[in-house]
Amino acid sequence: MNDEEYRHQCEVRYILQWRAFDRSQAIKYLSDVRKRRGDAAADRLVNDCKEQWERGNRGEKGDWRG
């Protein structure tokens, strides 16, 4: 795994943690990403968050379910 992929997985885990405790914080963060980094970056995060959430990932350190 390269540095960018690792960074992406860490970011997804943080969003999942926020979602577990305060969904509005996760939604706000994703909205900010969409404004700053564009639709492609936001859509990738949304899709990976959805997939990981459905697989039971709640954002614990190092957790990535493939």
Side-chain angles (χ1 to χ4, degrees):
M1 168 182 352
N2 63 40
D3 290 343
E4 175 57 27
E5 189 61 27
Y6 179 75
R7 186 207 60 75
H8 174 75
Q9 288 181 6
C10 289
E11 187 173 28
V12 167
R13 283 191 292 270
Y14 276 112
I15 296 167
L16 293 176
Q17 289 173 11
W18 293 331
R19 181 181 176 186
F21 293 105
D22 181 4
R23 189 171 184 180
S24 64
Q25 185 176 1
I27 292 169
K28 182 184 179 321
Y29 181 83
L30 290 166
S31 176
D32 290 344
V33 168
R34 190 168 300 281
K35 290 175 191 171
R36 292 186 176 127
R37 290 192 255 162
D39 289 336
D43 290 345
R44 181 177 180 211
L45 284 169
V46 167
N47 291 335
D48 285 349
C49 285
K50 180 180 178 187
E51 181 179 289
Q52 288 297 304
W53 187 267
E54 289 172 353
R55 291 179 178 182
N57 187 341
R58 297 300 180 262
E60 293 191 25
K61 185 175 181 173
D63 190 3
W64 192 262
R65 301 180 185 207

